[in-house]
Amino acid sequence: HKNAEKAARVFIDLLVTDKAAEAYALMNDAMKKALPKARLAQVWQGVTLQFGKFGGIKSVRVEKKKSHTIVISTGTFALMPMDIYVVFDAAGQVAGLNIRPSASGGSVAAADRPQTPKPPFPYSHRDVSYTNPADNAKFAGTLTFPKKPGTYPAVLLITGSGSQDRDETIFGHKPFFVLADHLTRQGFVVLRVDDRGAGKTTGDAKNASVMTHAGDAEAGIAFLKGQKEVDRTRIGLIGHSEGGLIAPIVASRSRDVAFIVMLAGTGL
């Protein structure tokens, strides 16, 4: 573990000091093919552009998974802490890199977000929950719907990669809350939920794949079909980022999906 921790620090230091070529040399062949030298440099530049100047590593933990060793270094950035995942194969070469908001929490200072909806709302809402029968993960979310009795078209909001809450909160922004508010005002039923392992939702997030999340979305559709406010023939999906990949996967497998919207999803 100590050797892996030291190797991860060396790899991160090379990225921080703009020595992408030296960091690239530490990667295995599969990783080099997936993340070319020029792209590797851009990855770190992109992180600092989004989250601010890197201030150092404040904590490290090491996990063993079959033949791979995963070093999770929590780094301080100007806007928020980030977890830097460096994966090593059995030969000690870098086999994976992932940088995401820290699971330990931390956020930017409070800021005015005038677009965040504020009560009173001209529609109804209720806290809901349902289960994905594939692994019994229990999903918790919010259902918003017009006050006038009747059935309405419905949408399920699907978040991007990483563990997101039902509002897809980032830097104090709540884009899914904004979307749900707008669409419900226009006569839609909207379901937004905490991702597996986030907020009040249970389930294994660490080992979940895109197809796992597609199954989670299908469980959301099944839930919507059982709500008295929903027109079962007009249920759609709105997916952001990775959600824009999940939405067409689900639509290709389910006759219950009437439409999809892909926000920054895959183009091919």
Side-chain angles (χ1 to χ4, degrees), residues 5-24 26 40 44 54-57 60 73 75 84 86 88 94 97:
E5 180 180 334
K6 182 178 179 180
R9 286 182 180 272
V10 168
F11 185 74
I12 293 169
D13 284 343
L14 291 173
L15 295 178
V16 172
T17 55
D18 295 323
K19 297 178 181 177
E22 295 179 42
Y24 180 81
L26 301 177
L40 177 62
W44 187 261
F54 177 67
I57 295 173
V60 179
S73 305
I84 305 167
V86 182
F88 294 95
V94 175
L97 173 66

Side-chain angles (χ1 to χ4, degrees), residues 71-262:
V71 182
I72 305 105
S73 305
T74 300
T76 58
F77 290 78
L79 292 179
M80 66 187 299
M82 302 288 290
D83 285 340
I84 305 167
Y85 289 71
V86 182
V87 183
F88 294 95
D89 61 17
Q93 292 183 302
V94 175
L97 173 66
N98 195 357
I99 305 171
R100 64 180 72 169
S102 176
S104 63
S107 61
V108 297
D112 179 30
R113 307 299 190 201
Q115 75 276 24
T116 300
K118 297 176 178 60
F121 301 118
Y123 53 80
S124 300
H125 63 89
R126 63 174 177 265
D127 290 333
V128 298
S129 64
Y130 56 89
T131 300
N132 180 347
D135 64 352
N136 291 319
K138 184 177 181 180
F139 287 79
T142 300
L143 189 74
T144 54
F145 49 95
K147 286 185 175 180
K148 184 178 179 181
T151 58
Y152 300 88
V155 293
L156 168 66
L157 303 184
I158 308 173
T159 67
S161 58
S163 293
Q164 310 282 335
D165 66 17
R166 67 192 69 185
D167 296 328
E168 208 184 37
T169 303
I170 183 168
F171 299 153
H173 294 285
K174 298 180 181 292
F176 274 16
F177 188 7
V178 175
L179 279 174
D181 175 79
H182 176 76
L183 290 169
T184 309
R185 290 172 186 265
Q186 304 305 315
F188 286 83
V189 177
V190 181
L191 174 62
R192 63 189 199 274
V193 300
D194 299 329
D195 287 344
R196 57 172 52 231
K200 296 182 179 180
T201 293
T202 65
D204 181 8
K206 185 181 298 183
N207 297 307
S209 67
V210 169
M211 301 310 288
T212 304
H213 296 309
D216 294 341
E218 289 172 331
I221 293 171
F223 170 80
L224 283 171
K225 288 175 63 178
Q227 305 308 297
K228 65 180 184 299
E229 300 87 359
V230 173
D231 179 346
R232 298 178 58 169
T233 67
R234 294 191 292 168
I235 297 175
L237 307 173
I238 298 179
H240 173 226
S241 190
E242 185 181 54
L245 171 64
I246 294 167
I249 290 173
V250 176
S252 74
R253 304 196 310 192
S254 174
R255 293 177 178 270
D256 293 321
V257 179
F259 61 90
I260 62 174
V261 179
M262 300 161 65

